[in-house]
Amino acid sequence: QNVFSKKLLSGLKAYKPIELQFYTSVAASFFQFPIILFFKPTIVSTQIKSTQLVVIVIVCIFFYLQSLSAYLVVSAVSPVAYSVSNTAKRAILLWLTILIFRNPLTLFTVIGTLLVIAGVFCYNFAQQYEQAQGRKQDIRSSPRSQNL
């Protein structure tokens, strides 16, 4: 998904992040509304209280902003960097739920978090190594070094 989004954001017909968000929202709505009407026809009625409607609208606004920010980040970085940062974000959220909501700490939580941290460090190391190799290659192929 990240690779496809990156291609749409930087391809021949490059979409802006807000355009991509709009088109995916319309497509999702097109597919979800008939399913909602089929399985929950009473939800369209007046069973929803005004406070519930306000909460639903607030949740929708926050989800929209989160999705838009995800497209903005994907347009600025590589898909791999986005995936790594998204994985780190999920590990942080997991630990926040442990600290704030007192969710139980399990061995799998600790192992998973350590794997995420190790993966982020490995990714950063690989990226720095690749950049250093690219700089060495640039120095070797520069016109100045060929004249020496």
Side-chain angles (χ1 to χ4, degrees):
Q1 176 187 3
N2 297 337
V3 174
F4 184 65
S5 296
K6 183 69 173 188
K7 285 185 179 192
L8 288 175
L9 290 166
S10 61
L12 292 175
K13 164 61 172 108
Y15 292 93
K16 294 177 185 169
I18 197 152
E19 291 174 324
L20 197 55
Q21 172 63 24
F22 171 75
Y23 292 129
T24 56
S25 297
V26 169
S29 298
F30 177 75
F31 286 105
Q32 288 178 354
F33 280 137
I35 294 170
I36 290 171
L37 292 175
F38 180 75
F39 287 107
K40 292 282 189 178
T42 58
I43 201 152
V44 182
S45 68
T46 59
Q47 289 182 354
I48 298 176
K49 297 176 185 172
S50 62
T51 54
Q52 291 173 326
L53 189 62
V54 169
V55 170
I56 290 171
V57 168
I58 290 171
V59 167
C60 290
I61 290 169
F62 277 115
F63 181 74
Y64 175 81
L65 293 173
Q66 183 272 332
S67 298
L68 182 60
S69 66
Y71 283 123
L72 289 169
V73 171
V74 167
S75 69
V77 299
S78 74
V80 175
Y82 177 75
S83 294
V84 169
S85 65
N86 194 32
T87 303
K89 176 193 77 168
R90 289 172 190 261
I92 291 169
L93 288 175
L94 179 70
W95 279 95
L96 284 175
T97 64
I98 290 170
L99 296 173
I100 294 171
F101 300 117
R102 305 282 186 232
N103 286 347
L105 181 65
T106 65
L107 179 64
F108 289 118
T109 304
V110 174
I111 291 171
T113 305
L114 291 174
L115 283 172
V116 167
I117 292 170
V120 169
F121 279 122
C122 287
Y123 175 74
N124 286 334
F125 177 77
Q127 194 174 32
Q128 289 174 355
Y129 179 78
E130 187 176 272
Q131 288 175 352
Q133 292 298 96
R135 277 187 241 128
K136 287 180 185 177
Q137 186 67 23
D138 289 343
I139 292 171
R140 291 184 193 136
S141 64
S142 69
R144 188 185 244 184
S145 65
Q146 292 174 354
N147 292 338
L148 295 178

